[in-house]
Amino acid sequence: MMRTRPLKVALLGCGVVGSEVARIMMTHADDLAARIGAPVELAGVAVRRPDKVREGIDPALITTDATALVKRGDLDIVVEVIGGIEPARTLITTAFEHGASVVSANKALLAQDGAALHAAAEEHGKDLYYEAAVAGAIPLIRPLRESLAGDKVNRVLGIVNGTTNFILDKMDSTGAGYQEALDEATALGYAEADPTADVEGFDAAAKAAILAGIAFHTRVRLDDVHREGMTEVTAADFASAKEMGCTIKLLAICERAEDGASVTARVHPAMIPLSHPLASVRGAYNAVFVESDASGRLMFYGPGAGGSPTASAVLGDLVAVARNRINGTTGPGESAYAALPVSPMGEVVTRYHISLDVADKPGVLAQVATVFAEHGVSIDTVRQQGKDGEASLVVVTHRASDAALGGTVEALRKLDTVRGVASIMRVEGE
């Protein structure tokens, strides 16, 4: 039997995502009511620019006073899609204090202060859901914290930023340089006017922190995630990758140590074999590869950003929270019981592709090989090309720690026969 009293929802933000959330709420009101067991009513919309025309939204619902809106006391759910740290953090905690559960898409805030937000939700007996914070429309948060709750997740490896994947895919498929590919991404609306958050890996790092925390039942903050951007990736790097049967992706990698005693979280460009499922993820799409003990390997794929895909994830959370509200329950909160330490990047073990500019003369390869051996880094393959007294030397290692590789490169730079280190890239996904 359907409840007649509607659930009241406030919307914080009415931009690309917020406006789509409002549109779906109104155009699919009957379906949402049937799925929830009660009608859903848009009770207020907080915005910065009240004079902007918002099609389909009653102007009487628009307010610039977000604080007053969340303090009303009659709200059931607050949907936060304004982003950033403040005022979002204060508005969310205020919503809990005044009786509302919260659905958020705010990856930056959750990566920085997720533990405090979960604590506030628990204190007031309310829900905090955030499927839309990672990978847009792709169901990922809920499978990790509910469907795989009985399994042991060992690794989460993924492409979680559509802008960077579009740029790298364009460089790979057309031979374009970084700037040329970025310009095209900007013209098509995939990249912001200031693309720093995307191309320098900040966006992906926030998502990695959230994923690692859920996957390993451990608090992982943004500061715990090693981050490298992709602005230094060149056409020459792609040429080298192709010679190895690889391509290059900006990856978010969250791993449990082999002994299970620690975890790592990192974001950086990496070569991956063309045989790996992530290698075929094209354009602005996202994909996340999950490896666990019982279920083995799972891949989640789909559009990772945009108004409609992100709104889909928000509405999925809204339905779940609304059902909990009607039943007088709450869904899963933070699970951080494992409290595993987050290891520094220096302890991460992986393979490396190193390109060196060297003098084209006898003995250079032997000198370079000796340096690798002295630092405990085993060489898998070496490729050398030379002309007119100069040469390039490409070394692919077996698995080694980041610290060991760093010491190796430092020693290589001191050799008279090494003119420079052209590039260093990790090799993942094998």
Side-chain angles (χ1 to χ4, degrees), residues 284-306:
Y285 274 69
N286 283 193
V288 177
F289 209 68
V290 178
E291 301 175 12
S292 64
D293 278 359
S295 60
R297 295 183 170 186
L298 305 170
M299 183 169 166
F300 300 83
Y301 170 84

Side-chain angles (χ1 to χ4, degrees), residues 190-269:
Y190 292 127
E192 301 287 346
D194 179 0
T196 302
D198 294 323
V199 300
E200 294 295 349
F202 291 100
D203 175 84
K207 295 170 181 176
I210 295 169
L211 291 174
I214 297 171
F216 307 133
H217 305 278
T218 291
R219 287 178 178 170
V220 179
R221 300 180 73 252
L222 182 58
D223 291 345
D224 296 319
V225 182
H226 174 83
R227 176 194 55 80
E228 297 174 26
M230 48 152 283
T231 57
E232 300 302 317
V233 177
T234 66
D237 292 326
F238 274 101
S240 293
K242 287 181 178 179
E243 290 179 359
M244 291 179 57
C246 293
T247 188
I248 298 172
K249 299 290 186 181
L250 184 75
L251 298 179
I253 305 171
C254 312
E255 293 179 307
R256 188 190 300 269
E258 290 185 7
D259 62 5
S262 63
V263 299
T264 59
R266 50 197 165 103
V267 168
H268 54 70

Side-chain angles (χ1 to χ4, degrees), residues 42-63:
L42 187 60
V45 182
V47 300
R48 287 186 298 178
R49 293 181 292 170
D51 298 331
K52 182 179 177 181
V53 176
R54 294 173 173 86
E55 186 177 349
I57 299 178
D58 183 351
L61 296 177
I62 302 296
T63 179

Side-chain angles (χ1 to χ4, degrees), residues 2 6 21-42 315 318-319:
M2 183 175 294
V21 170
R23 183 192 68 78
I24 295 173
M25 282 183 61
M26 290 180 285
T27 57
H28 298 285
D30 291 342
D31 285 338
L32 290 173
R35 295 166 192 171
I36 292 168
V40 179
E41 173 189 312
L42 187 60
L315 267 295
L318 188 148
V319 169

Side-chain angles (χ1 to χ4, degrees), residues 119-383:
E122 183 176 1
E123 178 186 354
H124 296 284
K126 299 296 178 286
D127 274 323
L128 173 62
Y129 276 47
Y130 44 90
E131 185 68 63
V134 180
I138 305 172
L140 186 58
I141 301 297
R142 193 171 288 113
L144 279 174
R145 73 176 185 175
E146 296 182 35
S147 303
L148 295 175
D151 205 343
K152 179 184 177 183
V153 176
N154 297 309
R155 195 178 198 217
V156 180
L157 171 76
I159 299 164
V160 295
N161 183 278
T163 300
T164 55
N165 198 59
F166 177 89
I167 293 170
L168 291 173
D169 182 39
K170 186 62 61 173
M171 292 175 70
D172 184 28
S173 60
T174 68
Y178 165 75
Q179 190 60 50
E180 182 183 352
L182 172 60
D183 290 343
E184 183 171 350
T186 303
L188 292 172
Y190 292 127
E192 301 287 346
D194 179 0
T196 302
D198 294 323
V199 300
E200 294 295 349
F202 291 100
D203 175 84
K207 295 170 181 176
I210 295 169
L211 291 174
I214 297 171
F216 307 133
H217 305 278
T218 291
R219 287 178 178 170
V220 179
R221 300 180 73 252
L222 182 58
D223 291 345
D224 296 319
V225 182
H226 174 83
R227 176 194 55 80
E228 297 174 26
M230 48 152 283
T231 57
E232 300 302 317
V233 177
T234 66
D237 292 326
F238 274 101
S240 293
K242 287 181 178 179
E243 290 179 359
M244 291 179 57
C246 293
T247 188
I248 298 172
K249 299 290 186 181
L250 184 75
L251 298 179
I253 305 171
C254 312
E255 293 179 307
R256 188 190 300 269
E258 290 185 7
D259 62 5
S262 63
V263 299
T264 59
R266 50 197 165 103
V267 168
H268 54 70
M271 294 182 180
I272 57 172
L274 294 176
S275 58
H276 194 282
L278 290 178
S280 61
V281 178
R282 312 301 296 269
Y285 274 69
N286 283 193
V288 177
F289 209 68
V290 178
E291 301 175 12
S292 64
D293 278 359
S295 60
R297 295 183 170 186
L298 305 170
M299 183 169 166
F300 300 83
Y301 170 84
S308 293
T310 305
S312 172
V314 169
L315 267 295
D317 278 351
L318 188 148
V319 169
V321 172
R323 288 170 175 169
N324 292 343
R325 191 84 172 183
I326 290 174
N327 294 326
T329 63
T330 56
E334 183 188 33
S335 176
Y337 74 89
L340 297 172
V342 182
S343 297
M345 188 62 189
E347 297 179 13
V348 171
V349 175
T350 188
R351 297 179 66 205
Y352 290 87
H353 176 282
I354 305 101
S355 179
L356 304 172
D357 294 326
V358 299
D360 187 16
K361 62 182 183 180
V364 173
L365 179 56
Q367 284 184 320
V368 169
T370 297
V371 170
F372 276 88
E374 289 173 347
H375 289 81
V377 179
S378 176
I379 293 176
D380 182 17
T381 61
V382 178
R383 185 175 71 255

